Amino acid sequence: LGIEPSPDETAEANRRGIKTHCASIESFKEPIPTASNILCSQSLNHFLNPRYFFEWSHRHLVDGGKLVLEVMNFRHVFRHFRWMQRAIQVDHTYMFVPEVLEQFVTNAGFRVVKLEVGEKLSKAEIKQLKKAAMPIFHILLVAEKTSRQPFDQSQQVPALYTPVMESLRGLPNSEFRYRLKTKFPKIF
């Protein structure tokens, strides 16, 4: 079962035998059975309300069901391009880094069972992933639904703003170097 806001993508999924509803997650109101797994691939950044998605997922998963997320890692993209303005994507309403995503998911009533972050991949590993048409700058997170209600306020939320901002401030941030790296080789 799929939920997809693009009519063309919805039609393609249905053509391939995947029953898909054309709607945003925020506007989707069809009754559906509970699921063992919910997969959200390269979409969470685009949602208008990620908290709503996590609450919706918690309601629609069976006890112990898994939530699988593949989300762009803003810090990794920034590190790669070495210029913050290039890392920002206008269609990404929200930007995530691994520690914030992990805390968000935990506060939403899930237990993180796997967190993969490719920030330390070598150039050779990135090249290999590109060649295989695999995502490069993404966080993979698998979480299990717990009995804890989403955002129940019983958990102490760590202050992540300062450490995340420090991790970003430590990265090179130069439009000139970005242009030199990307434009100069194409010219010559």
Side-chain angles (χ1 to χ4, degrees):
L1 175 69
I3 302 167
E4 167 59 52
S6 163
D8 292 341
E9 298 294 329
T10 298
E12 179 63 19
N14 282 310
R15 189 183 68 72
R16 291 178 180 233
I18 302 167
K19 181 175 169 40
T20 302
H21 299 272
C22 188
S24 67
I25 190 66
E26 293 90 353
S27 67
F28 182 72
K29 303 296 182 219
E30 297 285 325
I32 60 170
T34 55
S36 297
N37 299 294
I38 293 177
L39 170 66
C40 178
S41 179
Q42 299 184 25
S43 299
L44 189 66
N45 300 94
H46 300 268
F47 293 160
L48 299 176
N49 187 347
R51 178 180 170 144
Y52 174 84
F53 168 74
F54 289 131
E55 291 168 333
W56 182 91
S57 296
H58 198 274
R59 278 193 315 275
H60 287 88
L61 278 169
V62 298
D63 290 339
K66 301 292 190 291
L67 175 64
V68 181
L69 301 172
E70 180 191 0
V71 182
M72 188 187 89
N73 179 350
F74 177 72
R75 185 174 46 228
H76 193 187
V77 173
F78 181 13
R79 178 179 284 123
H80 174 76
F81 289 115
R82 299 174 169 240
W83 185 35
M84 185 178 285
Q85 280 74 4
R86 173 55 184 91
I88 294 169
Q89 296 183 16
V90 71
D91 64 334
H92 286 188
T93 312
Y94 291 87
M95 304 289 197
F96 293 97
V97 295
E99 52 272 38
V100 171
L101 181 65
E102 182 175 21
Q103 190 60 53
F104 204 169
V105 169
T106 300
N107 290 345
F110 294 91
R111 180 179 65 84
V112 175
V113 295
K114 182 179 179 98
L115 179 66
E116 260 184 35
V117 180
E119 287 185 58
K120 305 294 185 198
L121 292 172
S122 69
K123 287 182 180 182
E125 290 169 315
I126 288 173
K127 187 176 181 179
Q128 196 172 27
L129 286 170
K130 271 186 177 180
K131 187 176 180 181
M134 297 298 291
I136 300 163
F137 305 116
H138 287 76
I139 304 161
L140 173 63
L141 186 146
V142 180
E144 182 177 64
K145 177 183 172 178
T146 68
S147 60
R148 197 169 25 82
Q149 288 304 301
F151 308 105
D152 68 3
Q153 306 299 320
S154 67
Q155 278 195 291
Q156 181 67 28
V157 178
L160 293 174
Y161 180 81
T162 300
V164 168
M165 286 306 297
E166 288 302 314
S167 75
L168 297 175
R169 279 190 199 103
L171 297 176
N173 188 14
S174 167
E175 179 181 6
F176 175 75
R177 287 187 177 186
Y178 167 75
R179 302 264 184 230
L180 190 63
K181 178 182 173 183
T182 59
K183 303 296 183 197
F184 188 73
K186 290 178 184 173
I187 294 168
F188 295 97

